[in-house]
């Protein structure tokens, strides 16, 4: 019998017959030992993981602390640049030096610091090696990397050329001083543009409103297309001679024409203001530069939105062209409406509340409402530059009247300081960007062609438009004015901000570099030659802004009517833009009384059936005349309390008395009769010869007695 059969069971069969629980007893010490060792290993692994996590957190904290320190150093660099600029400006003003403006100084200091950061600091790159990835059909803005179960997020900063792989991000400080382009649009541009609208010289601006609109809209469009077409020829030449290493489309050339058409004669206007140059020339240059910034940014957005149907996305398509025109009109009108509505809302809030009792709260609300206009327009898909510009104009025309005396002074000073700091910050960054920016594309042919195209584009819209405008103007634009406007076509903050906003492609990088050099040249050369040019062109300086030009001045050919009245009050309405004259009566009789404490009572201008609404909207100050409203601005020479004005049967005089009167004001036995709207139009535009003095400002009465 074999061992292990049923009759004689062997030891193995005996063991198999035992219950399973008994079989585990001899293995228990072994299993317990292995379990203890496994638990110890797991505990050790957890401890190592915790130590590793603690080390990673410590390293992250140190990295964040180092990043914070570098951010502080970069901001301190710009603050020191601005401080040095201000001290040098004081020295230049003290020594009466005019060959270099503060914006040029800021750019020079930025260049010096950029050279130091670019070549005087050691490389501290944190890149260990480059990782090669398969090329995808579309670009990603965010990259998630899974390393051993841990996810890391990386943000795309843009494409670089193969030759710059080893030098990319070579210095952390260079990376820190390279600001996000959105900083310029959301932080630095709003106070600059709002100050331009809020400090608008209304008298001379509205007198030249038609010409300003023609230069800003039609002139900017003409300049854009001329520069774009000339630069397309330059690009074709570059392709022939082998100087073009990547794609450069016709739409890219038009985009460059749009952004470079944004003039910014801040240097020229500062010298004009200091020398008290001719006020009408100042108004033409200032109005054109303010509005054409808005036109340029909307025009560039429309060109970007130009997308023809079909395979060739850069060919001309009539449908896409008219769609771009519609986008231009829609964006501009929507932005204008949004800015004006925000200003109206602020005026209503300040009128129907007692915020003037708390000037600090009033100023804070005014500041936040003004700034939010820009962000609201951008969030809704419109253009914040246009919105905040017209918000500033609306605030100055309506809301300013409702503010307390302290808030009026605060708001003007606040936005003036913000404008000064933001503008000099941008010009300092321009100098810095020439050496710290990592995506420059220098092309001598493109740069030289850009200078020629800009000169021809400026000439093509200044001289022809001036010729056609003079056909309908009584206040003609002389040749010396036209030459000065041609000379004053500087490029500045807006062109730079539009160029730096998108530098992802080869064409946009070349545009940015060229724009930077154009700004340098125009600010330094043209800005420095402004004073000699004024002298060479025989343009008046030392002019009182409230003084009208002499009738026989070469720069002004005023067509006068018959009689002595035409030299005085009647000339006001003749020289005012017809667009302004059409709007003025409606504004004076309805809008100003509704939105401010000034103007005629609505009970006298609205129909009788609107009596309840008129009484609710009319401010009590209009009836009591307890708070005569005067804008602290020499452009608004007289206000409602300075003349005897008639509203229906009520007459308001300069001393606040009231009485019954007819609907007209007569002088010298009825030899002249005017409506109240005409009187106030004459008064607000500040024409006439009779002068008094109030608050240290020469006041000009438009009422002139006949001998």
């Amino acid at each position: 019998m074999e061992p292990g059969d049923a009759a004689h069971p062997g030891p193995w069969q005996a063991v198999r017959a035992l219950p399973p629980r008994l079989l585990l007893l001899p293995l228990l010490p072994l299993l317990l030992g292995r379990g203890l060792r496994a638990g110890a290993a797991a505990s050790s692994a957890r401890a190592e993981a915790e130590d590793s996590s603690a080390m990673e957190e410590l390293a992250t904290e140190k990295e964040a602390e180092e990043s914070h320190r570098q951010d502080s150093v970069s901001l301190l660099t710009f603050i020191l640049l601005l401080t040095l600029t201000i001290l040098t400006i004081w020295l230049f003003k003290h020594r009466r030096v005019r060959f270099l403006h503060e914006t040029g100084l800021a750019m020079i200091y930025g260049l010096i610091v950029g050279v130091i950061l670019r070549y005087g600091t050691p490389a501290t790159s944190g890149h260990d090696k480059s990782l090669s990835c398969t090329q995808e059909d579309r670009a990603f803005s965010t990259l998630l990397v899974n390393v051993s179960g841990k996810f890391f997020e990386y943000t795309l900063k843009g494409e670089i050329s193969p030759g710059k792989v080893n030098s990319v991000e070579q210095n952390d400080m260079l990376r820190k001083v390279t600001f996000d382009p959105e900083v310029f649009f959301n932080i630095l541009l709003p106070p600059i543009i709002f100050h331009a609208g809020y400090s608008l010289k209304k008298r001379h601006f509205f007198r030249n409103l038609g010409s300003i609109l023609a230069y800003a809209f039609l002139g900017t469009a003409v300049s854009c297309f001329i520069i774009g077409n000339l630069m397309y020829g330059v690009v074709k030449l570059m392709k022939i001679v082998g100087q073009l290493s990547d794609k450069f489309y016709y739409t890219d050339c038009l985009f460059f024409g749009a952004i470079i058409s944004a003039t910014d004669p801040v240097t020229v206007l500062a010298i004009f203001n200091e020398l008290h140059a001719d006020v009408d020339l100042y108004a033409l240059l200032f109005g054109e530069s303010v509005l054409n910034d808005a036109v340029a940014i909307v025009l560039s957005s429309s060109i970007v939105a130009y997308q023809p149907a079909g395979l060739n996305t850069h060919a001309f398509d009539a449908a896409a062209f008219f769609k771009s025109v519609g986008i231009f009109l829609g964006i501009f009108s929507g932005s204008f409406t949004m800015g004006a509505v925000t200003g109206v809302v602020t005026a209503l809030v300040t009128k129907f509340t007692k915020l003037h009792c708390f000037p600090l709260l009033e100023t804070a609300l005014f500041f936040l409402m003004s700034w939010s206009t820009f962000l609201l327009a951008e969030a809704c898909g419109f253009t914040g530059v246009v919105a905040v510009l017209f918000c500033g104009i609306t605030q100055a025309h309506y809301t300013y009247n409702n503010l307390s005396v302290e808030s009026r002074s605060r708001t003007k000073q606040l936005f003036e300081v913000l404008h000064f700091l933001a503008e000099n910050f941008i010009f300092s960054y321009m100098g810095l960007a020439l050496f710290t920016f990592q995506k420059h594309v220098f092309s001598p042919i493109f740069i030289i062609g850009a200078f020629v195209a800009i000169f021809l584009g400026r000439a093509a819209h200044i001289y022809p438009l001036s010729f056609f405008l003079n056909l309908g103007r009584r206040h003609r634009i002389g040749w010396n004015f036209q030459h000065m406007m041609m000379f004053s076509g500087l490029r500045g903050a807006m062109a730079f901000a539009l160029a730096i906003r998108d530098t992802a492609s080869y064409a946009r990088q070349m545009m940015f570099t060229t724009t930077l050099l154009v700004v340098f040249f125009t600010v330094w050369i043209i800005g420095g030659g402004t004073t000699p040019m004024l002298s060479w062109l025989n343009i008046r300086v030392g002019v009182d802004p409230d003084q009208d030009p002499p009738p026989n001045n070469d720069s002004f050919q005023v067509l006068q009517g018959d009689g002595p009245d035409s030299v005085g009050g009647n000339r006001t309405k003749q020289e005012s833009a017809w667009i302004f004259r059409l709007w003025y009566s409606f504004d004076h009789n309805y809008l100003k009384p509704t939105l401010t404490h000034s103007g005629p009572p609505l009970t006298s201008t609205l129909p009788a059936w609107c009596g309840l609404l008129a009484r609710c909207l009319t401010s009590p100050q209009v009836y009591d005349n307890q708070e005569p409203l005067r804008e602290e601005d020499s452009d608004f020479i007289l206000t409602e309390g300075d003349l005897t004005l008639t509203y229906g049967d009520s007459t308001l005089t300069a001393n606040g008395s009231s009485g019954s009167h007819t609907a007209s004001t007569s002088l010298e036995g009825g030899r002249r009769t005017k409506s109240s709207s005409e009187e106030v139009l004459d008064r607000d535009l500040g024409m006439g010869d009779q002068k008094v003095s109030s608050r240290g400002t020469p006041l000009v009465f438009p009422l002139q007695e006949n001998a």
Side-chain angles (χ1 to χ4, degrees), residues 422-692:
E423 192 169 58
N424 282 275
F425 186 95
I426 290 179
F427 279 95
S428 298
Y429 184 77
M430 287 184 195
L432 202 68
L434 186 63
F435 292 98
T436 60
F437 193 71
Q438 300 292 321
K439 302 175 183 178
H440 283 302
V441 177
F442 291 94
S443 175
I445 298 178
F446 191 86
I447 294 171
I448 295 174
F451 276 98
V452 175
I454 290 169
F455 177 83
L456 295 178
R458 182 72 177 171
H461 94 261
I462 290 294
Y463 295 113
L465 278 181
S466 300
F467 171 78
F468 288 109
L469 289 172
N470 282 336
L471 297 178
R473 281 178 62 100
R474 293 182 172 89
H475 207 167
R476 297 176 63 86
I477 304 172
W479 281 106
N480 54 348
F481 277 21
Q482 296 179 40
H483 296 329
M484 194 66 212
M485 294 179 68
M486 172 68 193
F487 179 80
S488 302
L490 285 77
R491 270 62 178 175
M494 180 58 68
F496 173 79
L498 289 173
I500 199 176
R501 197 172 192 182
D502 182 6
T503 56
S505 65
Y506 169 81
R508 298 298 174 88
Q509 293 167 12
M510 186 183 297
M511 293 180 202
F512 172 72
T513 303
T514 305
T515 302
L516 201 58
L517 296 178
V518 169
V519 173
F520 286 165
F521 177 84
T522 56
V523 170
W524 288 338
I525 305 302
I526 298 179
T530 299
T531 303
M533 185 63 68
L534 285 172
S535 176
W536 185 64
L537 293 175
N538 295 321
I539 294 176
R540 298 185 308 154
V541 295
V543 179
D544 185 355
D546 296 331
Q547 177 185 358
D548 289 314
N552 296 327
N553 189 289
D554 293 337
S555 303
F556 300 88
Q557 301 178 16
V558 182
L559 300 181
Q560 303 176 7
D562 297 330
D565 292 342
S566 61
V567 181
N570 289 345
R571 195 174 68 190
T572 300
K573 294 185 291 296
Q574 292 175 357
E575 294 176 356
S576 302
W578 64 271
I579 299 176
F580 174 64
R581 295 200 302 269
L582 291 177
W583 168 80
Y584 183 85
S585 180
F586 176 78
D587 172 71
H588 175 73
N589 292 327
Y590 302 105
L591 292 183
K592 258 199 169 181
T594 302
L595 302 177
T596 69
H597 300 296
S598 61
L602 291 172
T603 52
S604 63
T605 57
L606 289 177
W609 56 271
C610 298
L612 179 61
L613 178 64
R615 286 191 295 272
C616 293
L617 295 179
T618 302
S619 176
Q621 285 86 348
V622 174
Y623 300 105
D624 301 336
N625 200 28
Q626 296 175 353
E627 186 180 344
L629 294 168
R630 177 187 303 278
E631 295 194 29
E632 302 290 341
D633 191 343
S634 60
D635 298 330
F636 274 73
I637 298 175
L638 298 177
T639 51
E640 277 73 10
D642 293 320
L643 293 176
T644 300
L645 300 181
T646 302
Y647 309 119
D649 296 333
S650 300
T651 301
L652 300 180
T653 62
N655 57 8
S657 62
S658 61
S660 178
H661 204 281
T662 60
S664 64
T665 299
S666 62
L667 294 175
E668 298 293 333
R671 294 175 62 184
R672 270 176 66 192
T673 302
K674 290 186 178 183
S675 67
S676 60
S677 297
E678 291 176 340
E679 292 174 357
V680 182
L681 172 59
D682 292 347
R683 181 206 62 217
D684 279 355
L685 293 179
M687 294 290 185
D689 298 323
Q690 184 180 354
K691 296 185 179 180
V692 297

Side-chain angles (χ1 to χ4, degrees), residues 5-19:
D5 56 10
H8 302 278
W12 178 245
Q13 284 77 7
V15 170
R16 291 177 59 186
L18 293 175

Side-chain angles (χ1 to χ4, degrees), residues 249-262:
Y249 298 106
Y250 178 70
T251 52
D252 294 327
C253 297
L254 285 180
F255 180 81
F256 178 73
I259 65 175
I260 208 66
S261 296

